[in-house]
Amino acid sequence: MIWETLAPLVGKLVDDHTEAEWRRLFEKWDGHLWHDATPPNEKTSVLMIDANAVTTDGTPDLDALRELLKEHVQATVSDLYLVSLFPYAATPTDTRVDPRIRLAEDLGHVKHEFDLMYDVTPDVYNESQFDLLKETDSFLERLAQGATKLRVHVQSFRGMPEDRIRTVLSLWHTVLHHYKPNAQLVLAYEGDLDVSTYFDVADAICHFDLASHTLLAFAQGDAGRLTDWAKRIEAPPEGKTYFNFLSIQERDPFEKNLIEPSEEMLLAAHSILLSFQGIPSVDYRTLLGVTTPVDRDSLVQELKTDPYRLNVFSGVLGQLNVRRTHPAFSPYASQTFKSVDKRLFTVERTGGGETLVMHTNVSDETVRVNQSGVNLFTGEPVDEIELAPYGYVWVRQV
């Protein structure tokens, strides 16, 4: 029983529940049929998508969303980060069905085709109001609903001292790995806190600053500050990594912050995103070109007939398809940032017996770079490369 391991942690927190209540909680979840995750690797990528993004007859339809993604992205994307899923809103025809049962049914097909990621959003205003047993039960329920990754935002714990937050995270991290050893607790924090100190209670830590530094690089046509920031990133401990994104649910889509973003600029930005060590997350609003719920058939038709949206969609998936075939893109493979030209963002990744070098032009100028190897997108040998404005190249050294 896991309770013996957790009892010292619970003892450090304000908790009004008895040992018997805690034991009953874990006895309940011990009886669940658990399915472990696959450890993250170069094939791991996340599509962040609103669970209500696709509609049928004007009503959010999780099954229609599943069908759309199964047909168009499943071969490329491994994980769905379903936001706005909780609390689950059942349709009017489900009035006699427990929403939890309906949610389990609707997620049944999805979790067999994708790994799933959810948010954990504890309702905390101060420590005395925090029901640790209830929130741990909710945490485990999300894990049972197919999650292989759970994101916890530190700032959800409003009014709790940092040492208490760390204890809660340590408890949840232990619980998660007890039931799903290969699952991931992803930690989010926006602010000046040195989040790398939280690696002992998390498996991956969000890089909120990546988006702002990337935006600045394109605005200035100069990758210098982005490179300087990247060089300061602390290498994570063994078995730990980062969670990378250009936009996330708390923020506008990345492209909304660019002036007249071209498809070339968006693809260059994703070249930067996918070059970084860590688990990459792509925003559905950028990938699909939508910002509000849309009918499934209308969305497919619009993607086919709008060249801009189609080129962004196929370009990002093309990058992900290349990425998933090279072990140097593992979330745990090493990275080195190089200052080659102020207009270029350059990363070297090493792992699995190979070394890759990625150059991304953040300027509206043509840039020449000396780089020998094999172009990962064309399979052709290269030596001197001419990068068009907002062009990028990924090269395997030979």
Side-chain angles (χ1 to χ4, degrees), residues 43 87 119 124 168 177 205 249 289 328 341 368:
K43 295 180 175 62
D119 279 324
V124 182
V168 174
H177 285 284
I205 291 179
Q249 68 268 34
D341 184 299
R368 294 182 182 274

Side-chain angles (χ1 to χ4, degrees), residues 75 93 132 186 259 270 371:
T93 58
L132 180 60
V186 180
I259 299 174
H270 282 80
Q371 181 65 62

Side-chain angles (χ1 to χ4, degrees), residues 41-251:
N41 57 33
E42 61 275 10
K43 295 180 175 62
T44 304
S45 61
V46 177
L47 175 62
M48 186 207 76
I49 189 162
D50 191 324
N52 304 309
V54 173
T55 63
T56 301
D57 298 327
T59 302
D61 189 335
L62 191 58
D63 200 48
L65 173 64
R66 177 191 66 82
E67 292 176 357
L68 172 74
L69 298 178
K70 179 182 178 181
E71 181 177 352
H72 295 283
V73 307
Q74 185 190 15
T76 302
V77 172
S78 64
D79 292 46
L80 297 184
Y81 179 8
L82 292 171
V83 300
S84 303
L85 183 63
F86 303 101
Y88 185 66
T91 62
T93 58
D94 292 333
T95 52
R96 295 186 179 181
V97 180
D98 186 326
R100 291 184 175 184
I101 295 176
R102 174 58 66 200
L103 175 61
E105 291 176 351
D106 285 352
L107 286 174
H109 296 298
V110 183
K111 66 185 182 182
H112 290 302
E113 293 160 355
F114 296 92
D115 284 343
L116 299 179
M117 177 173 176
Y118 310 132
D119 279 324
V120 177
T121 52
D123 186 12
V124 182
Y125 294 94
N126 59 61
E127 188 175 4
S128 63
Q129 292 178 339
F130 181 51
D131 189 331
L132 180 60
L133 183 73
K134 175 185 174 183
E135 296 295 347
T136 301
D137 188 33
S138 177
F139 181 92
L140 277 163
E141 185 172 25
R142 280 162 167 71
L143 197 64
Q145 286 164 336
T148 61
K149 297 173 183 62
L150 288 171
R151 192 190 81 142
V152 182
H153 204 303
V154 173
Q155 286 150 322
S156 295
F157 296 90
R158 301 177 294 276
M160 283 186 70
E162 184 182 342
D163 63 330
R164 300 295 197 274
I165 296 173
R166 293 183 67 94
T167 302
V168 174
L169 292 173
S170 180
L171 187 151
W172 287 353
H173 188 247
T174 302
V175 165
L176 179 142
H177 285 284
H178 174 76
Y179 290 107
K180 290 188 178 182
N182 293 320
Q184 304 264 292
L185 184 63
V186 180
L187 189 67
Y189 183 86
E190 297 180 78
D192 297 328
L193 180 70
D194 182 6
V195 291
S196 64
T197 62
Y198 277 84
F199 265 127
D200 61 328
V201 294
D203 300 291
I205 291 179
C206 291
H207 261 154
F208 277 94
D209 291 339
L210 174 58
S212 58
H213 285 290
T214 302
L215 282 168
L216 182 64
F218 284 110
Q220 297 179 337
D222 187 335
R225 291 189 181 181
L226 173 61
T227 301
D228 290 343
W229 168 77
K231 287 180 177 180
R232 295 194 299 271
I233 294 173
E234 182 178 337
E238 184 176 357
K240 310 284 187 173
T241 192
Y242 290 100
F243 187 80
N244 303 319
F245 48 86
L246 294 175
S247 50
I248 205 151
Q249 68 268 34
E250 293 95 349
R251 299 184 178 183

Side-chain angles (χ1 to χ4, degrees), residues 170-340:
S170 180
L171 187 151
W172 287 353
H173 188 247
T174 302
V175 165
L176 179 142
H177 285 284
H178 174 76
Y179 290 107
K180 290 188 178 182
N182 293 320
Q184 304 264 292
L185 184 63
V186 180
L187 189 67
Y189 183 86
E190 297 180 78
D192 297 328
L193 180 70
D194 182 6
V195 291
S196 64
T197 62
Y198 277 84
F199 265 127
D200 61 328
V201 294
D203 300 291
I205 291 179
C206 291
H207 261 154
F208 277 94
D209 291 339
L210 174 58
S212 58
H213 285 290
T214 302
L215 282 168
L216 182 64
F218 284 110
Q220 297 179 337
D222 187 335
R225 291 189 181 181
L226 173 61
T227 301
D228 290 343
W229 168 77
K231 287 180 177 180
R232 295 194 299 271
I233 294 173
E234 182 178 337
E238 184 176 357
K240 310 284 187 173
T241 192
Y242 290 100
F243 187 80
N244 303 319
F245 48 86
L246 294 175
S247 50
I248 205 151
Q249 68 268 34
E250 293 95 349
R251 299 184 178 183
D252 289 331
F254 176 80
E255 61 272 19
K256 189 174 181 179
N257 297 290
L258 294 169
I259 299 174
E260 298 181 356
S262 64
E263 61 194 59
E264 291 82 8
M265 193 179 295
L266 284 182
L267 294 179
H270 282 80
S271 170
I272 292 173
L273 166 68
L274 301 182
S275 297
F276 270 82
Q277 179 188 45
I279 299 169
S281 176
V282 174
D283 189 335
Y284 82 103
R285 295 170 295 184
T286 303
L287 184 69
L288 302 177
V290 298
T291 55
T292 57
V294 62
D295 178 78
R296 176 191 183 279
D297 294 336
S298 298
L299 174 57
V300 172
Q301 184 62 27
E302 290 165 5
L303 275 175
K304 290 179 179 179
T305 57
D306 184 332
Y308 179 95
R309 290 170 63 180
L310 179 59
N311 288 339
V312 171
F313 178 80
S314 59
V316 172
L317 292 186
Q319 292 177 0
L320 287 169
N321 280 326
V322 170
R323 194 180 193 276
R324 60 186 285 116
T325 62
H326 291 275
F329 281 122
S330 163
Y332 309 107
S334 65
Q335 63 185 7
T336 304
F337 300 96
K338 300 180 177 296
S339 300
V340 176

